[in-house]
Amino acid sequence: MSSRRAFLQKMAASALVVPAVSMMKAAAYPQAVNSVYDGPMLRVAIMGLGSYGSRVAEALLSCRAAKLVGVISGTPSKVKEWQAKYNIPEKNCYNYENFDRIKDNQDIDAVYVITPNALHKDQSIRVAKAGKHVICEKPMAVNAVEAQQMVDACKKANVKLLIGYRMHFEPKTLEIVRMRNAGDFGKILFFQGLSGFKIGDPGEWRLNKQLAGGGAMMDIGIYSINGARYMVGEDPVWVTAQEVKTDPIKFKEGVDETITFQLGFANGALASCLSTYAMNNLDRFFLNGEKGFAELLPATGYGPIKGHTHLGELTQPHVTHQTLQMDEMSAIILKGKKPLVPVDGEEGVKDMKIVDAIFEAVKTGKKVDLKL
Amino acid sequence: MSSRRAFLQKMAASALVVPAVSMMKAAAYPQAVNSVYDGPMLRVAIMGLGSYGSRVAEALLSCRAAKLVGVISGTPSKVKEWQAKYNIPEKNCYNYENFDRIKDNQDIDAVYVITPNALHKDQSIRVAKAGKHVICEKPMAVNAVEAQQMVDACKKANVKLLIGYRMHFEPKTLEIVRMRNAGDFGKILFFQGLSGFKIGDPGEWRLNKQLAGGGAMMDIGIYSINGARYMVGEDPVWVTAQEVKTDPIKFKEGVDETITFQLGFANGALASCLSTYAMNNLDRFFLNGEKGFAELLPATGYGPIKGHTHLGELTQPHVTHQTLQMDEMSAIILKGKKPLVPVDGEEGVKDMKIVDAIFEAVKTGKKVDLKL
């Protein structure tokens, strides 16, 4: 298991949780058991059969409104393995050369792109041109220009583009959003996001600028960027950032190791965040308002998420994030559902604009104004 | 009770502690009960009989190596009250005009200056010139130039200058310092300090630039500055800072409301801190190292301080901070004791240099190099 996977699985046993809680088995998805689903079914092909792709495939088994029906991979042996495991017909299997033919496949509605970051743009645009809805893992691209091209391509092709923001469907997270919208925290004043882990294998693609487009910020820091937006409930208007690199061999030019960044909001709220590949298990969100606060710890790991507010512990049950995400994305794509926290391409573009601005702020040492 | 006092007293019931713990009565000072003290006694006069001065006076009642013997005040009625309460002879009472005469008083060893920040420098220098040791409340001055003048004056007068850094004697804090020095956290990577409260009375001296020298940073933000240094165990080499002011009526020119600041350390460690007068009860320190972590919450209130590390809860007993501080300062002044975390004027100068640099960084928007 890669150090990253090991980390994400262990996030619940965060360094900040004492005593450490062990990884709990996900609770059954209540709706699936308690009611018969007779709505439309989102038929999904997964592009990229790596560790996260496998996780999504497993989660899809518990979905009631989405199912895995196809694969796109460059590794024939993996395709065979998945075919057997998930009962995928040969006609729904593609590789990176021929997947444009998915256009003619009436049994696939959407493709979930789960490949290295730098490949997302071209692959997503090809999927869109093939007339299939696109679900793209975060970060949606390596910069905002690419991200916007994806949005434009999907619009032109008249397909939906959704980003794999699984936290946007997580029950405790949504309870905080609900409370904030209801005014329970009063005016929001401060958000703090700590997002990081210690990356292991120096050879993995996440440390390769060509494939990852950056380092920790693209992979884990983006949780704090995105979290700042959905926790505060507004888009920031400026950003400042500071970088530290202690290991320039492991973290080459263009691959960030540790960055602190600050976001300013129009109403005066501030966010102070950490993104790092050099520290053990940091995964905490803290939101402070005039009348109350909320804390999530761990905040973005695969769960269970734990959290409390000034009113007490959050008790919403854990549901496997990817199961929830895919069922909700089915409703968004097939039934036009509007989620409480959006996951569309435009949201992803905003995050990429912030990423770009953070890198610019690091480079120039200056505050960068944001226009989101 | 001022909102500030109310806050500091309630810090233990911090917004971040759930369920809130009520203010516990301080445990008896163990050494005082368990052994007879036959060492030297530091005879202290307090200058400035405000709320914090009163707190120190009360704490001195439990000291074994220090005692209150005199007062300096501009308010005769307060002097009378204190004389009665603490059995202070008339000959040990001074006002701001005549306190230079303390030079001739053989019954006073040291003066604890607990007046508005902007008065510290001249008052401390006058005390030094009168040949008495100076204990000066934090911030020791309103900038590093003044602070250095105080150090120089005390050196010239051959008296000690100590800053009222009560956390430098707090048992749980010191346990973390001890663990860090023993390598229990491994290489230190990150410190986070959140220091703030919502200030009430807009008329109080802490919001008056002429008396306070600034706003939240001077009063409460300095805990995170100082904390970053004693938790990381090094002096920072650069600082960046961002200011937000939502209420320019309450927080006038030169009086900071909310500032986020970041400190960089030579070994690559980072500190990310918040100083604010606009948010409820923020008082948390978090230290993250390669091998472990420590958290204090509340971290700097009057106690009890609560904390834990990767190894478990910190169980060192609470002792009234000011009692401990004054007994230890007695040992430093009269017996030449070297404390684990220094409290001398030079330490205060370092903090003031960081304060100056933070204000400069806010003004210029640029990273400011520190030479401490």
Side-chain angles (χ1 to χ4, degrees):
Chain A
M1 184 158 34
S2 79
S3 63
R4 181 173 181 277
R5 261 194 295 162
F7 161 71
L8 286 165
Q9 286 184 2
K10 285 191 309 189
M11 263 191 171
S14 161
L16 293 168
V17 181
V18 173
V21 291
S22 61
M23 185 69 187
M24 281 168 55
K25 188 158 164 46
Y29 183 35
Q31 291 172 281
V33 221
N34 299 331
S35 65
V36 176
Y37 176 75
D38 59 0
M41 181 68 66
L42 186 73
R43 297 163 304 169
V44 180
I46 290 181
M47 180 185 294
L49 310 184
S51 64
Y52 194 68
S54 301
R55 183 177 287 272
V56 172
E58 285 300 308
L60 276 163
L61 293 174
S62 305
C63 282
R64 57 176 200 163
K67 65 177 179 184
L68 176 65
V69 299
V71 292
I72 299 139
S73 168
T75 312
S77 60
K78 273 193 188 170
V79 172
K80 287 273 171 256
E81 194 190 309
W82 280 52
Q83 279 193 267
K85 196 168 180 185
Y86 301 109
N87 196 25
I88 296 170
E90 185 68 30
K91 72 170 190 65
N92 289 359
C93 297
Y94 299 87
N95 61 39
Y96 291 112
E97 283 71 48
N98 69 16
F99 78 80
D100 307 275
R101 291 189 212 150
I102 208 164
K103 185 187 181 80
D104 304 317
N105 192 326
Q106 298 309 309
D107 297 332
I108 294 173
D109 302 309
V111 175
Y112 195 159
V113 178
I114 313 180
T115 55
N117 311 338
L119 309 179
H120 289 178
K121 192 245 318 177
D122 286 347
Q123 289 168 342
S124 295
I125 291 176
R126 281 173 68 188
V127 169
K129 285 185 175 166
K132 302 302 180 187
H133 299 294
V134 180
I135 303 171
C136 181
E137 196 40 36
K138 62 87 208 158
M140 72 184 282
V142 297
N143 58 50
V145 169
E146 283 196 357
Q148 188 60 50
Q149 289 171 354
M150 292 162 68
V151 168
D152 295 343
C154 289
K155 199 167 283 177
K156 193 175 166 192
N158 199 29
V159 296
K160 289 254 168 57
L161 170 59
L162 305 183
I163 314 304
Y165 288 132
R166 64 190 157 79
M167 304 318 297
H168 293 207
F169 305 106
E170 194 282 317
K172 294 187 181 74
T173 304
L174 290 183
E175 173 60 11
I176 292 172
V177 171
R178 188 200 65 73
M179 288 177 67
R180 182 202 68 219
N181 289 347
D184 291 356
F185 306 121
K187 184 184 165 192
I188 299 300
L189 303 167
F190 182 65
F191 169 78
Q192 176 201 279
L194 302 182
S195 298
F197 65 97
K198 188 159 187 165
I199 200 161
D201 179 10
E204 76 156 287
W205 70 259
R206 287 186 180 79
L207 294 176
N208 178 339
K209 161 83 173 163
Q210 300 311 316
L211 286 172
M217 186 61 67
M218 286 290 178
D219 182 30
I220 192 79
I222 200 165
Y223 282 104
S224 272
I225 293 175
N226 190 239
R229 292 177 51 238
Y230 65 70
M231 295 284 276
V232 173
E234 282 187 40
D235 291 330
V237 294
W238 58 257
V239 61
T240 49
Q242 307 79 36
E243 183 177 12
V244 159
K245 191 175 285 194
T246 62
D247 187 346
I249 306 298
K250 191 169 179 179
F251 303 98
K252 301 205 164 32
E253 177 73 22
V255 179
D256 52 292
E257 175 187 324
T258 298
I259 291 178
T260 43
F261 61 96
Q262 303 77 39
L263 302 167
F265 295 81
N267 74 347
L270 274 169
S272 172
C273 303
L274 172 72
S275 163
T276 184
Y277 263 165
M279 303 178 201
N280 284 324
N281 301 14
L282 289 170
D283 182 24
R284 170 143 69 181
F285 283 1
F286 170 62
L287 183 72
N288 196 34
E290 261 185 337
K291 294 200 268 177
F293 73 95
E295 182 162 56
L296 290 170
L297 170 65
T300 67
Y302 295 151
I305 300 304
K306 292 166 79 86
H308 63 271
T309 73
H310 58 293
L311 300 178
E313 200 186 339
L314 293 168
T315 55
Q316 288 69 23
H318 171 67
V319 177
T320 301
H321 297 171
Q322 295 82 3
T323 299
L324 211 39
Q325 172 193 325
M326 295 309 292
D327 268 344
E328 289 294 309
M329 286 188 167
S330 170
I332 292 166
I333 291 173
L334 300 179
K335 302 202 282 187
K337 181 171 177 178
K338 300 274 177 216
L340 184 56
V341 185
V343 290
D344 51 55
E346 284 80 357
E347 291 300 307
V349 171
K350 289 182 180 181
D351 286 346
M352 293 316 302
K353 282 184 177 173
I354 299 174
V355 170
D356 287 353
I358 287 171
F359 290 152
E360 185 187 339
V362 161
K363 206 168 171 183
T364 63
K366 288 182 182 159
K367 182 180 281 194
V368 176
D369 288 327
L370 291 165
K371 287 191 185 67
L372 302 187
Chain B
M1 181 157 39
S2 79
S3 62
R4 180 172 183 279
R5 260 193 296 161
F7 162 71
L8 286 165
Q9 286 184 2
K10 283 191 308 188
M11 265 192 170
S14 161
L16 293 169
V17 181
V18 173
V21 293
S22 61
M23 184 71 186
M24 281 168 55
K25 189 158 164 49
Y29 184 34
Q31 290 172 281
V33 220
N34 299 331
S35 65
V36 176
Y37 177 76
D38 59 0
M41 182 65 68
L42 186 74
R43 298 162 304 169
V44 179
I46 289 179
M47 179 184 293
L49 310 183
S51 65
Y52 195 69
S54 301
R55 183 176 286 271
V56 172
E58 286 300 307
L60 276 162
L61 294 174
S62 304
C63 283
R64 58 177 200 163
K67 65 177 179 185
L68 177 65
V69 299
V71 291
I72 299 137
S73 168
T75 313
S77 60
K78 274 194 188 171
V79 172
K80 286 273 174 255
E81 192 189 310
W82 280 53
Q83 281 193 267
K85 195 166 181 186
Y86 301 110
N87 196 25
I88 296 169
E90 187 67 30
K91 73 171 190 64
N92 289 0
C93 298
Y94 299 87
N95 61 37
Y96 291 112
E97 283 70 50
N98 68 17
F99 79 80
D100 309 275
R101 291 189 214 150
I102 209 165
K103 187 187 178 80
D104 305 316
N105 192 324
Q106 298 309 308
D107 298 332
I108 294 173
D109 302 308
V111 175
Y112 195 159
V113 178
I114 313 180
T115 56
N117 311 338
L119 309 177
H120 290 177
K121 191 243 321 178
D122 286 348
Q123 290 168 341
S124 295
I125 291 174
R126 282 172 68 187
V127 170
K129 284 184 175 167
K132 303 301 180 187
H133 300 294
V134 181
I135 302 170
C136 181
E137 195 41 33
K138 63 86 207 159
M140 70 184 283
V142 296
N143 57 50
V145 169
E146 283 196 357
Q148 188 59 49
Q149 289 171 355
M150 292 163 69
V151 168
D152 294 344
C154 289
K155 200 167 280 177
K156 194 174 167 191
N158 199 28
V159 297
K160 288 254 168 58
L161 169 60
L162 306 183
I163 313 305
Y165 288 131
R166 66 191 155 79
M167 303 319 296
H168 293 206
F169 306 107
E170 194 281 318
K172 294 186 182 74
T173 304
L174 291 183
E175 173 60 9
I176 293 172
V177 171
R178 187 200 64 72
M179 288 176 67
R180 182 201 66 218
N181 290 347
D184 291 356
F185 305 122
K187 184 182 164 192
I188 299 299
L189 302 168
F190 183 65
F191 170 78
Q192 176 201 280
L194 302 181
S195 298
F197 64 97
K198 188 158 188 164
I199 200 160
D201 179 9
E204 76 158 286
W205 69 260
R206 287 185 180 79
L207 294 177
N208 178 338
K209 162 84 174 164
Q210 300 310 315
L211 287 172
M217 187 61 66
M218 286 290 178
D219 182 30
I220 192 78
I222 200 166
Y223 282 104
S224 272
I225 293 175
N226 191 239
R229 293 177 51 239
Y230 65 69
M231 296 283 277
V232 173
E234 283 187 41
D235 292 330
V237 294
W238 59 256
V239 63
T240 48
Q242 306 80 35
E243 182 176 12
V244 159
K245 191 174 284 194
T246 63
D247 187 347
I249 307 298
K250 190 168 180 179
F251 303 98
K252 301 204 164 30
E253 177 72 25
V255 179
D256 52 290
E257 176 186 322
T258 299
I259 290 178
T260 43
F261 61 97
Q262 303 78 40
L263 302 167
F265 296 81
N267 75 347
L270 275 169
S272 172
C273 304
L274 172 72
S275 162
T276 183
Y277 262 165
M279 302 179 202
N280 284 323
N281 300 13
L282 288 172
D283 182 25
R284 168 143 72 179
F285 284 1
F286 169 62
L287 183 72
N288 197 34
E290 261 185 336
K291 293 200 267 177
F293 73 94
E295 183 163 55
L296 290 170
L297 169 67
T300 67
Y302 295 151
I305 300 303
K306 292 166 79 86
H308 63 270
T309 73
H310 57 294
L311 300 177
E313 200 186 340
L314 293 168
T315 55
Q316 289 69 24
H318 171 67
V319 177
T320 300
H321 297 171
Q322 296 82 3
T323 300
L324 211 40
Q325 172 193 327
M326 294 310 292
D327 268 344
E328 289 294 309
M329 286 189 166
S330 169
I332 293 167
I333 292 172
L334 300 179
K335 302 202 280 187
K337 181 172 177 178
K338 299 274 178 219
L340 182 57
V341 185
V343 290
D344 50 56
E346 284 81 356
E347 291 299 309
V349 171
K350 288 182 180 182
D351 286 345
M352 293 315 303
K353 282 184 177 173
I354 299 174
V355 169
D356 288 353
I358 287 171
F359 289 152
E360 185 187 338
V362 161
K363 207 169 170 180
T364 64
K366 289 181 183 160
K367 183 181 280 194
V368 176
D369 288 327
L370 291 165
K371 286 189 185 69
L372 302 187

